[in-house]
Amino acid sequence: MRTPVLIGKLRAYVTNHSVTRNASRSGQVLLDGCVPFSHQVAGHKCGINNTGVLQHPDGTILKQLQAPPRGPREMNFYTRLLDLQQHLPKYTLKNKGASKELYLKLEDVTRRFLRPCIMDIGKRSYDPLASQEKHEEQISKYPLMEEIGFLLLGMRVYQIDPDRYITHDQFYGRSLGKDSIKNGLTRFFHNGQELRRHAVSLIISKIQSILRWFESQTQLHFYASSLLMVYEGSPHTVNGSKHKPAEPGTEHQQGEPQSNSNNSHEALSFQSSLTHSHPYCHNVQHERNEEAVEVKMIDFAHVFPSDNPDESYMYGLRNLLSTLEQILKD
Ligand SMILES: O=P(O)(O)O[C@@H]1[C@@H](OP(=O)(O)O)[C@H](OP(=O)(O)O)[C@H](O)[C@H](OP(=O)(O)O)[C@H]1OP(=O)(O)O
Ligand SMILES: Nc1ncnc2c1ncn2[C@@H]1O[C@H](COP(=O)(O)OP(=O)(O)O)[C@@H](O)[C@H]1O
């Protein structure tokens, strides 16, 4: 839900701070030189009533806050000192001016990947304060949510030959039943040539770590929250590493997103052959070295205090884990 007041403030801010319009494929440049985030796979996208997730030139992303109480609730969640930080995108307070009240400034968890393969997995999508109407509307979108415990909200998967991304949105996710959910998740790990088994097992161990946190806490219940998973789709390495080197002169401070360059530019410059010259690929080698992955919890507009374990969230995680383990066994 984005209110007209919020949108009005944003438009006023953009009008007062507009910059040259040449930074994205669509020519769309928003506040502070931001462009729509090209690696967004789900959630509110850039449109008439909202800006969706934006990519800042400093390498962070800006997520537009929802109207109260959701936006402030999410902001408050990120500012709490929870022992969950390692499973969240880094949040930065260095968000100046009007954008501070309109956006969350977060680490872009896709940033260090050359060809990020991204999947967003959602959990039950109504909170205890939801009206009966909202409750029924959300259930009707995916009646299997209670049984399966999660919903595939979106994915973007790199295919090696031809080199391109394939995408699936939440309507694809909603089409998956008990018999097909495993196949749906398998698509995320298939590059057109092979199943990326090592990425599956690394992601499993990260999810297990998140599950352990849930098993140890009774303070919070998470509704309409997501798990964002990323692995490297590129078969190439840069100077022995699969990941982008930090640019000279950039500093990485504890608790702050790493400053780096604009992912969407990089993605756009990589339209055809993988062997083309590339801003990051000074010394491309065909190696299959250690695959790193990211699994982060995102979207905290519906986190509520509690005094008991979040059984529903854990149910979803356990089902997700057993489905991923099944993929490895097949
Ligand atoms: O059902 P709607 O139209 O009220 O919009 C939903 C949003 O509710 P809101 O308008 O903010 O009260 C809803 O927002 P909340 O999660 O309730 O904050 C979601 O964004 C939902 O998307 P999805 O089905 O979870 O991918 C949104 O559903 P879609 O528009 O994506 O179907
Ligand atoms: N920290 C992040 N790093 C990279 N991508 C992100 C990050 N946060 C969100 N995204 C992208 O934006 C999408 C929507 O984010 P989300 O927080 O769920 O927004 P919404 O509240 O609109 O549902 C995600 O599916 C993901 O593709």
Side-chain angles (χ1 to χ4, degrees):
M1 191 200 309
R2 267 65 175 157
T3 64
V5 175
L6 192 65
I7 298 304
K9 273 173 121 177
L10 171 66
R11 291 206 189 292
Y13 185 84
V14 171
T15 307
N16 292 334
H17 296 77
S18 59
V19 291
T20 48
R21 295 175 173 269
N22 61 1
S24 76
R25 199 199 311 240
S26 63
Q28 209 171 0
V29 177
L30 299 166
L31 81 166
D32 293 344
C34 290
V35 293
F37 182 44
S38 60
H39 292 311
Q40 179 174 354
V41 298
H44 300 92
K45 301 232 168 107
C46 191
I48 296 166
N49 287 329
N50 61 70
T51 63
V53 178
L54 301 177
Q55 184 174 41
H56 193 277
D58 69 7
T60 61
I61 59 158
L62 300 185
K63 179 185 168 181
Q64 188 183 352
L65 286 173
Q66 295 186 59
R70 298 170 191 195
R73 209 191 271 140
E74 181 160 35
M75 176 79 89
N76 287 339
F77 177 83
Y78 272 108
T79 53
R80 288 178 66 158
L81 288 174
L82 291 169
D83 55 353
L84 186 61
Q85 307 289 1
Q86 63 170 309
H87 300 303
L88 312 181
K90 291 187 186 75
Y91 163 78
T92 182
L93 287 165
K94 278 192 184 171
N95 196 13
K96 300 190 190 96
S99 60
K100 186 177 175 184
E101 49 183 296
L102 298 171
Y103 290 95
L104 278 171
K105 190 170 172 68
L106 298 171
E107 167 197 12
D108 169 8
V109 303
T110 69
R111 181 160 174 68
R112 66 192 177 89
F113 298 89
L114 288 170
R115 294 290 160 267
C117 297
I118 309 160
M119 177 162 68
D120 184 331
I121 296 285
K123 301 288 174 343
R124 82 203 128 165
S125 53
Y126 51 89
D127 67 36
L129 301 182
S131 66
Q132 184 64 19
E133 190 188 8
K134 172 89 181 175
H135 184 120
E136 285 168 12
E137 182 196 29
Q138 292 297 323
I139 297 247
S140 71
K141 286 181 187 172
Y142 194 53
L144 286 167
M145 178 68 95
E146 297 295 313
E147 201 173 340
I148 293 179
F150 61 88
L151 165 64
L152 199 166
L153 288 172
M155 70 162 99
R156 195 157 187 261
V157 193
Y158 184 69
Q159 303 292 287
I160 287 183
D161 189 15
D163 63 315
R164 66 185 178 114
Y165 280 101
I166 54 168
T167 58
H168 292 293
D169 63 14
Q170 69 161 298
F171 293 98
Y172 172 73
R174 291 183 201 177
S175 75
L176 299 172
K178 281 189 295 176
D179 297 337
S180 49
I181 189 77
K182 179 160 65 74
N183 288 343
L185 293 184
T186 302
R187 281 196 188 203
F188 177 57
F189 294 101
H190 211 286
N191 64 13
Q193 294 183 354
E194 61 172 342
L195 181 71
R196 297 291 300 279
R197 304 182 71 83
H198 192 46
V200 184
S201 38
L202 289 173
I203 281 180
I204 286 175
S205 68
K206 296 241 179 198
I207 298 172
Q208 284 167 335
S209 170
I210 293 173
L211 177 58
R212 281 195 292 278
W213 182 83
F214 272 91
E215 286 168 342
S216 70
Q217 72 90 27
T218 54
Q219 291 177 16
L220 297 171
H221 278 201
F222 293 71
Y223 304 87
S225 186
S226 284
L227 271 190
L228 190 64
M229 308 174 187
V230 191
Y231 71 87
E232 181 57 76
S234 172
H236 299 258
T237 60
V238 183
N239 295 330
S241 163
K242 268 202 169 180
H243 307 296
K244 292 176 186 170
E247 288 177 341
T250 59
E251 291 171 21
H252 180 45
Q253 294 172 10
Q254 186 71 23
E256 284 184 12
Q258 192 164 353
S259 179
N260 214 320
S261 69
N262 191 318
N263 240 0
S264 62
H265 294 173
E266 182 273 326
L268 288 176
S269 71
F270 199 78
Q271 293 295 321
S272 54
S273 165
L274 286 165
T275 53
H276 281 178
S277 103
H278 183 273
Y280 297 103
C281 296
H282 307 300
N283 182 16
V284 174
Q285 303 163 20
H286 292 253
E287 283 179 21
R288 301 305 309 264
N289 67 349
E290 183 67 15
E291 290 161 285
V293 303
E294 294 278 7
V295 177
K296 300 288 184 191
M297 293 172 63
I298 58 165
D299 207 353
F300 305 109
H302 302 267
V303 177
F304 283 71
S306 164
D307 59 4
N308 54 59
D310 190 343
E311 294 295 348
S312 171
Y313 197 101
M314 289 192 287
Y315 176 82
L317 282 188
R318 289 186 184 119
N319 249 0
L320 178 60
L321 279 170
S322 65
T323 312
L324 293 174
E325 280 156 4
Q326 196 56 50
I327 290 173
L328 282 183
K329 278 185 200 145
D330 286 353

